[in-house]
Structure formats: C-alpha cells, structure tokens
Amino acid sequence: MSRVHLSRLVLVAAVCIGLIAGGGAVASDAGVVVVLSDDTLVAGEEATLDLQIVNRETVAGETMQGTTVEVDAGDAPLTVRTAERSLGNVPTGASRTAPFDVVVDENATPGTYDLEVTVTYRTIEDDGEVVPEATTETETIDLEVTIEERARFAVVNATTDVHVGEPGAIELELKNVGTETARNATVEVQSIDPGLQIGGGTTFTRTFSGEWAVDETRTVRLATRATDDTEARVHALDVTVRFYDSLGVRRSDDVHEPGVEVGPEQEFAVGNVTSTLRVGEDGRVDATIRNEGNRSLENVVAILASPNPNVDVRDTESSVGTLEPGEQRDISFRVRLDDGADPDERLLPLAVRYRTPGGDVVVGDPVDVVDVAVAPKQEFAVEDVTSTLQVGKDGRVNATIRNEANRTIEGVVAIVESPNPNIAVRDPEWYVGTLGPGEQRDISFRVGLREDAEPGERALPLVVRYRTPYADNLLSDQIDVPVIVAEKIEPFEVEAISRTITQGEEITYRVEIRNAGDERYTDIEAQLFATPPLAVTDGEAYVPGLAPGESTEIAFGLEAEDDATPTTYSVSIDFRYEDEIGDRHLTDRQRLPVDVLESEPSPIVFVAVAALLVGVFALAYWQRERLRRVIDDLGPE
C-alpha cells in the first residue's frame, strides 16, 4: 500500500473514531462508511439528519462517481421528507454530507431504530480511466437512530382579543407532549412584528416552578398591545421552552410558531349631525354614533371637546351604553358659544371611550364632527319709532320690535333704561311674549323729562330679554332708539281781564286761562302771588278741567296800598294740575300786569282846606301890628 493510500485510510479512521466519540452513529459496508454526528431524536420533532458518506477506498485509487444517497425509515416511527441526495464524485478517503429532513411521529415510542441508507455509485480510477470490469454499485447500510425520552412542548391553542391600537391579551395553552417530565420550565414568547408589543416590549418570559408532567397543559396569558401602525392580520410568535430534564440537564424546545390574529382598528361612524348653536347662547349638538367594528362594546361614551376658547362644551360626555356591531345610538351635547365666537361651521373633535370584551378601557382617536352650524347672535330690530317727549313733562315712546332670527323666541321683554338723569323711564319694561321668525309687535314706554332737560335728538338704550329653548334668560345687544325731545310748552295761556286798581283799593282780579296743550287737564289749582304795594287777599282758584283749546275765567282778591305809586305792577300765577295719565304737575309762574291809578280827593277835604286857609289869614290880620314891630326890631341897627 502506498503512503498516500495509507494516509487516506488514517484520515477515514480518524473521522469515524471522532464521530463515534462524539456520540454519533457509524455504519459501513464494503466500500462506504456512513457517519451520523447526532443520532438522537425526540418524538414529534422535525429534524435534519446530516449523513456523511465516506469513500473508505476498498479498491486502491478508485473514486465513487455519480454517488446518490437514499434513506428509508423502515420500522422507525418517523417520516423521511427528503427523497434522494446526489453527491457527485467522492474521491478515495474523502467524504460528502447528505442532509435528510425527517419528522418523528408525535406518539413515537422512545428506543433505538434502524434506518436503511442506500448508496449508489460507479467506480473509476483516480487517474480518470474507467475500470473495465467495474459496475454500478449499490450498498445498503443500516444506521441506528435513537428516539429518547424527553419533554417536548406544543401550543395547543393560541387566542387573542387585541385589536389595532388597543391593549389586550394573548392566551397560549402549552402542553407537554413529550415523554418526560420537565422541571422549572421557562416560557419565552417573542413577537416577530415589533408593532405587537408583549408585556411592554417584544419579549415575554414566565417561569413555572416545579414539575411539568407529560400531557399536562398550562396557560400563559400575555398582556399585549397592538400599536396604531400594526396590520390587522395573523402575527407569528416565537415560543421557546427552556427546562431541566430528569438528569438535571438544561434543555430547550423551540415550539412551532403559533399565529394570533390581530383584529382591525375599532372604528365608529358619526352621522346625522344637527345643532342649535347660536353665538352668545347655549345650544345642543346632536348626532348618531354607529359601531363599525365586528364586536360588541360595553360602556361606550362619546366625548366632545373644543380647542376653541369661545366654544365651551358644557356636557362633555354622552353615555351610549352597549353597542353591538352595526348598531347606532343617539348622542347629544350641550355647548355654549361666547359672544366673541364667529358664526360659522365648526369642527368639534369627538372621541369614543369604550370597554373591550377583555375588560380594557380604550379611548379612540378623535373624529372631527363636521357641519356643526353656528347661527349668529339673536337680534331684534326696533322700527317705526314715534314719541311725544317734551321738556318738563311725561310723554310716550312708541315703536315696533321684530324678531330677526329664524326661530321662535319666548318670554320677550323690551327694556329701556336711560343713563341721563334728566330723563326718567317710568315703566322701563314692556312685555312682548312670543315672537315667531320675522314677527313684530308694538311696544310703548312712558318717559318723563325734567324741567332742566335739553330739547333735541336723543337715543334711548333698549335691550331685549328673552328665553332660549333651554330656559336661559339672556339679554340682546343694546339697540339705540332715536327720539326727539320737544321744547317745553306752558300748558296754560293766561290773560288779565280786569287789571286796573286804584290806590288803597281792593278789587276782584279776573284772569282768563286757556288749555294750550294737546290733552285734557283736570283738577287745576291756580294760585296768585303779589309783592308790595300790592297784596293778595284771595289767592286761590279751582277749575275742574279743561280740554285742549278750552278756556275759562277765574278770579282772585287783590288790593293796593294807599300810598302806592300809580304805575303798572305785575303779579304772578302758577297752576297745579293732573294730566291724562294721572301725574300731578306744577307750572312755572307767569306774570300778569296790574295798573295802579291815583285816587281822586273827596268834597269834605276841599271844605277843610278852605276853612284852614281863612283861619290862617284872619290870625295874620289880627296880629299884624305885633308882627310889624317884631320885624322892625329885627332890622339893622
């Protein structure tokens, strides 16, 4: 034998010895050695048997040409899935590997079994020349494999209630389908899709202490969440069970990947949206919500919010209860729009909170509720304004008020208040009642003007109080009502009928009064006033009533002092009276003339003056001589 051939034989022997020492199986025939490095199988296992085919050189310098390998399970409780392997040429002393996939029966009995390995080839000289007498060789070799007792696990059931975008749970039922009890097993579950989160991550681990007997089933419940970008489909899980066998050896079993189906994202449809929203008021947004999913949901609550500071959702939640697939319910929300809100359509985000069949509470993504119409603020128009206002007296402001909105308003009250202290609104409220869309009613207010009020154009502020459909009492914006205040007109014109009086005389002073106004005055009390040298001896007169333009005569007692200078004096007169609405008034004083005449002397006076003069002259004559002497004595010396 040549040195080369010897070295090849040594190599083949070393391979076989090494494989045998490693716990594998070796079988041979005349020219072929079959080596299996791992000859241990487990019931139910899917495995690959890597067969090494070695040309052990039975004929020196011959190569195995066109080598094929087949494996027959024979009586072994397994199925060979690989039909045949082609290895090509195998030179002398060389080896080739032929992998064969096998499936061990689930209920395979542990033990040693023979596999029938058939190797077919032709031989040629190493120099490439065909040996004339060589034929095709077929060698059948029995190769032992061992099915050992070992714990093995299978997922007998995998369920989940998780949907896209929701938390949930995955429940795995694991069964020890092997032939040996496992101890202190640890179950590792990994999600292949990162969007399916298990226990807050992608991997979940749970340890079962103690023994896990053959045919025993245990349940692993995994807290799970499917992210929003997860697809609704079957997701595979990678399950590995690590355990200790009866000899205390740490082993692992890769369980066949189970699949769990993640349901589609829960959706709701919102329709039939109507609203009674109006600027400055409370209103309602009504709609219907429908379960678009394929499962029944409990404790469904619709939640409405508003990002607009001028839109205040008073009732943020509308309870729905249980919603079956395809079922719809009415929802309603009370919403207030501040005065600063603009009338327009609004997008109000609506979210849905619900409890899943697994008991998890979920709040879905907001859905914009479109076509929420907002009406402008309630407005009223005040037209056809007339007034009888006059400085110093009461009058009326009359107008019509019209509902400018397209809805019926109840409890309408028109209110007028004046910030001007010279204008007093006697009855500031006028009850209107119910006003339909575009309907108008008459309103009227009694207004008094003080004596120092200024005539001219004025604006009286009017607001309307009304009751909304939700029983809220609100005030409209202020409406300026234009009115004209007429100048003051004295209600009575007076004229003195008997205006002459003599010094020291008392007379009946007669005055004609006429109603210069436009309404009937009643309970008229006249009073006369005078200053020296005139004096009133009877200063009061009474007239029951005067119609517009009607006149009458009244009389007073008046006297003049004896030494009154003959000239024209004045007296003054005023009136207290009641107008048609029952108010009492006091007029300004009006002046009337009084002519004082000089009195004529009586005959007795003339006689007395003549007698006095005669006496004076007689006395002067009788004393004339004495008077002359006195004068002489007083003359110059």
Side-chain angles (χ1 to χ4, degrees), residues 64-70 118-122 136-139:
M64 298 168 56
Q65 185 186 46
T67 306
T68 61
V69 182
E70 292 181 88
T118 301
V119 181
T120 302
Y121 60 93
R122 289 181 305 152
T136 298
E137 302 285 342
T138 298
E139 299 185 18

Side-chain angles (χ1 to χ4, degrees), residues 445-469:
F445 302 92
R446 180 183 166 200
V447 180
L449 287 95
R450 302 183 189 278
E451 298 289 341
D452 48 357
E454 293 291 335
E457 295 184 356
R458 296 288 181 269
L460 292 179
L462 180 146
V463 295
V464 182
R465 186 176 69 236
Y466 60 97
R467 188 168 60 249
T468 70

Side-chain angles (χ1 to χ4, degrees), residues 171-367:
E171 197 169 88
L172 301 177
E173 293 182 18
L174 287 168
K175 183 179 181 179
N176 182 354
V177 296
T179 57
E180 185 181 39
T181 297
R183 292 171 177 81
N184 298 329
T186 298
V187 179
E188 294 180 0
V189 182
Q190 183 176 11
S191 171
I192 296 176
D193 183 351
L196 186 62
Q197 299 176 352
I198 300 177
T202 57
T203 303
F204 174 88
T205 302
R206 182 177 176 185
T207 300
F208 294 91
S209 61
E211 295 184 349
W212 193 331
V214 176
D215 292 333
E216 181 184 356
T217 300
R218 295 189 178 182
T219 300
V220 179
R221 186 175 177 83
L222 318 174
T224 310
R225 181 177 183 85
T227 60
D228 292 338
D229 54 356
T230 305
E231 294 183 9
R233 58 177 175 82
V234 175
H235 290 255
L237 301 176
D238 188 0
V239 181
T240 301
V241 182
R242 305 184 190 280
F243 59 95
Y244 291 92
D245 63 14
S246 59
L247 299 178
V249 178
R250 182 70 166 168
R251 296 188 180 275
S252 66
D253 184 24
D254 292 329
V255 182
H256 176 70
E257 293 179 353
V260 290
E261 185 172 2
V262 174
E265 184 176 5
Q266 175 64 49
E267 293 184 352
F268 298 90
V270 178
N272 302 324
V273 180
T274 60
S275 74
T276 59
L277 301 187
R278 186 175 293 272
V279 174
E281 297 182 15
D282 282 18
R284 299 206 76 85
V285 175
D286 299 309
T288 59
I289 184 171
R290 186 174 64 250
N291 180 1
E292 295 283 273
N294 57 1
R295 57 188 171 156
S296 177
L297 302 176
E298 296 181 347
N299 293 356
V300 178
V301 177
I303 304 171
L304 190 68
S306 172
N308 191 325
N310 290 324
V311 181
D312 180 17
V313 181
R314 298 293 183 90
D315 302 329
T316 58
E317 296 186 355
S318 181
S319 178
V320 178
T322 301
L323 268 184
E324 301 294 336
E327 185 181 7
Q328 71 179 25
R329 296 280 184 83
D330 294 335
I331 55 177
S332 183
F333 304 90
R334 185 177 181 183
V335 180
R336 177 175 180 80
L337 280 82
D338 293 340
D339 289 341
D342 293 327
D344 202 352
E345 290 187 351
R346 290 285 183 273
L347 296 179
L348 297 180
L350 182 142
V352 182
R353 185 177 69 237
Y354 56 93
R355 190 170 67 223
T356 68
D360 293 303
V361 176
V362 179
V363 178
D365 294 332
V367 178

Side-chain angles (χ1 to χ4, degrees), residues 488-509:
K488 182 177 179 180
I489 300 176
E490 289 296 336
F492 300 102
E493 292 179 353
V494 294
E495 181 180 359
I497 298 174
S498 56
R499 52 181 285 184
T500 303
I501 188 173
T502 305
Q503 294 171 323
E505 182 183 18
E506 179 179 350
I507 66 172
T508 297
Y509 188 70

Side-chain angles (χ1 to χ4, degrees), residues 27-29 31-35 51-55 64-71 84-85 87-88 90 96 98 100 116-122 136-141:
S28 66
D29 202 343
V32 178
V33 177
V34 179
V35 181
L51 305 183
Q52 285 193 355
I53 307 302
V54 182
N55 181 355
M64 298 168 56
Q65 185 186 46
T67 306
T68 61
V69 182
E70 292 181 88
V71 176
E84 182 183 86
R85 290 293 185 186
L87 303 181
V90 182
R96 297 285 186 270
F100 286 85
E116 198 174 79
V117 180
T118 301
V119 181
T120 302
Y121 60 93
R122 289 181 305 152
T136 298
E137 302 285 342
T138 298
E139 299 185 18
T140 301
I141 304 168

